[in-house]
Amino acid sequence: MSAYTKKQPRVVVVGSCSMDLVVTSSRRPGAGETVLGESFKTVPGGKGANQAVAAARLGADVSMIGRVGDDSLGQTILDNLKQNGVCVNNVEPVTHCESGTAHIILAEGDNSIIVVEAANRQVTPQYVEKSRAVIEGADIVLIQQEIPAETVLLVSRICKQSGVPLLLNPAPARPVEAEVIENSAYLTPNEHEASLLFDGAELGESLRKYPNRLIVTEGSRGARYFDGQEEAVVPSYPVQAVDTTGAGDTFNAAFAVALAEGKSIADSLRFANRAASLSVTRFGAQGGMPTREEVEEALA
């Protein structure tokens, strides 16, 4: 029996819904080179949908705001979200373009990804405005950068005006407006994204500027933040990685769920690191995402 008995936190995810086309190979091809792959799989993905599924598996009441294409991939994406307990009332098919896809090469213990946005480009401010009440009713909102920048700005404003904490996962890396940064309760870049986010500023300087708000993920080393007095590192959990796709999304979802339950930043990061460590031991961005019981058992 899980120790998880609190009221379900309401998590809203605004972001991308895609299909991952995954090739496994012993090594990556160089320019102009052809190599033989070992396997090919089609699995639902997209950073937004990944985070929604991860949060739902961890016990949250999750609503997804996004778009898919009016095609077979889009229907599969929607079915998968519903099967994982995610509310898709605010995920509408786009009739004039295809569903988003991510083309992933798994080789040499890591991944390389090309994202085709397609229907995710239609997650416009006008579209999201229709779901304003859903955002305003959340305990926490998760957003990423596989949707238009102006939409991220609008969501940050809605959250700021309504007092709902926004967790911005600034991935993939691109410049972010200063207003979005100021409107975000939490920022979770990796080291590369942090450098871009703060114009190459020294990491320690950036952390001190945003105490208990900026959390920089450092892969196998864990997550770093400034607690108001000193830099703190919450270590990761060493595991044998099978597929790192979706580990960051699992981390962000778990961090959001724990924060929405009222856990401290340090405890939330421990929960997030443990969830992410479990996710990389299995194949697939969403296929590897752990349940609440699995994380709690691993933390016990």
Side-chain angles (χ1 to χ4, degrees), residues 177-256:
E177 289 192 47
E179 183 183 350
V180 174
I181 294 173
E182 294 309 316
N183 289 346
S184 300
Y186 305 98
L187 304 151
T188 57
N190 61 25
E191 295 163 282
H192 169 64
E193 291 155 359
S195 179
L196 184 66
L197 209 58
F198 302 111
D199 296 322
E202 191 268 323
L203 180 58
E205 178 187 337
S206 298
L207 290 168
R208 286 188 293 275
K209 186 176 179 182
Y210 299 99
N212 296 306
R213 289 180 57 207
L214 174 61
I215 290 89
V216 178
T217 58
E218 299 181 334
S220 61
R221 297 193 301 280
R224 184 182 302 270
Y225 71 106
F226 184 72
D227 66 7
Q229 294 181 312
E230 62 182 0
E231 277 189 32
V233 177
V234 178
S236 62
Y237 295 83
V239 292
Q240 184 65 46
V242 172
D243 180 3
T244 58
T245 312
D249 296 328
T250 303
F251 172 91
N252 279 279
F255 186 49

Side-chain angles (χ1 to χ4, degrees), residues 20-24 27-29 102-115 243-245:
D20 291 352
L21 311 176
V22 187
V23 172
T24 304
R27 66 182 182 88
R28 288 175 182 77
H103 304 256
I104 301 169
I105 296 175
L106 299 178
E108 300 156 345
D110 212 335
N111 59 54
S112 302
I113 306 175
I114 298 175
V115 172
D243 180 3
T244 58
T245 312

Side-chain angles (χ1 to χ4, degrees), residues 115-297:
V115 172
V116 181
E117 295 171 289
N120 293 308
R121 284 195 294 270
Q122 304 303 316
V123 186
T124 62
Q126 294 79 9
Y127 175 76
V128 170
E129 184 66 50
K130 296 188 295 182
S131 302
R132 176 183 282 262
V134 177
I135 295 170
E136 292 173 340
D139 291 320
I140 195 166
V141 173
L142 261 168
I143 200 164
Q144 328 74 31
Q145 299 204 108
E146 289 179 342
I147 57 174
E150 56 267 27
T151 304
V152 177
L153 176 59
L154 172 70
V155 172
S156 80
R157 287 173 173 170
I158 294 173
C159 288
K160 187 72 172 180
Q161 291 161 6
S162 57
V164 175
L166 175 67
L167 193 161
L168 170 65
N169 173 216
R174 74 178 181 212
V176 176
E177 289 192 47
E179 183 183 350
V180 174
I181 294 173
E182 294 309 316
N183 289 346
S184 300
Y186 305 98
L187 304 151
T188 57
N190 61 25
E191 295 163 282
H192 169 64
E193 291 155 359
S195 179
L196 184 66
L197 209 58
F198 302 111
D199 296 322
E202 191 268 323
L203 180 58
E205 178 187 337
S206 298
L207 290 168
R208 286 188 293 275
K209 186 176 179 182
Y210 299 99
N212 296 306
R213 289 180 57 207
L214 174 61
I215 290 89
V216 178
T217 58
E218 299 181 334
S220 61
R221 297 193 301 280
R224 184 182 302 270
Y225 71 106
F226 184 72
D227 66 7
Q229 294 181 312
E230 62 182 0
E231 277 189 32
V233 177
V234 178
S236 62
Y237 295 83
V239 292
Q240 184 65 46
V242 172
D243 180 3
T244 58
T245 312
D249 296 328
T250 303
F251 172 91
N252 279 279
F255 186 49
V257 170
L259 288 169
E261 291 172 5
K263 288 184 170 64
S264 68
I265 288 180
D267 285 345
S268 296
L269 288 174
R270 276 189 281 274
F271 183 77
N273 281 341
R274 183 77 271 193
S277 74
L278 293 173
S279 77
V280 304
T281 63
R282 292 175 287 206
F283 178 81
Q286 294 178 16
M289 289 172 172
T291 63
R292 181 77 184 211
E293 289 72 22
E294 287 171 329
V295 178
E296 289 182 345
E297 186 177 321

Side-chain angles (χ1 to χ4, degrees), residues 57-77:
R57 288 192 184 174
L58 293 169
D61 175 4
V62 184
S63 292
M64 179 80 209
I65 300 174
R67 305 204 78 172
V68 294
D70 187 18
D71 52 22
S72 60
L73 292 181
Q75 190 58 54
T76 301
I77 292 166

Side-chain angles (χ1 to χ4, degrees), residues 74-95:
Q75 190 58 54
T76 301
I77 292 166
L78 284 173
D79 290 345
N80 180 70
L81 286 168
K82 287 187 278 190
Q83 287 164 10
N84 279 282
V86 176
C87 175
V88 297
N89 292 347
N90 301 282
V91 184
E92 294 180 11
V94 185
T95 57

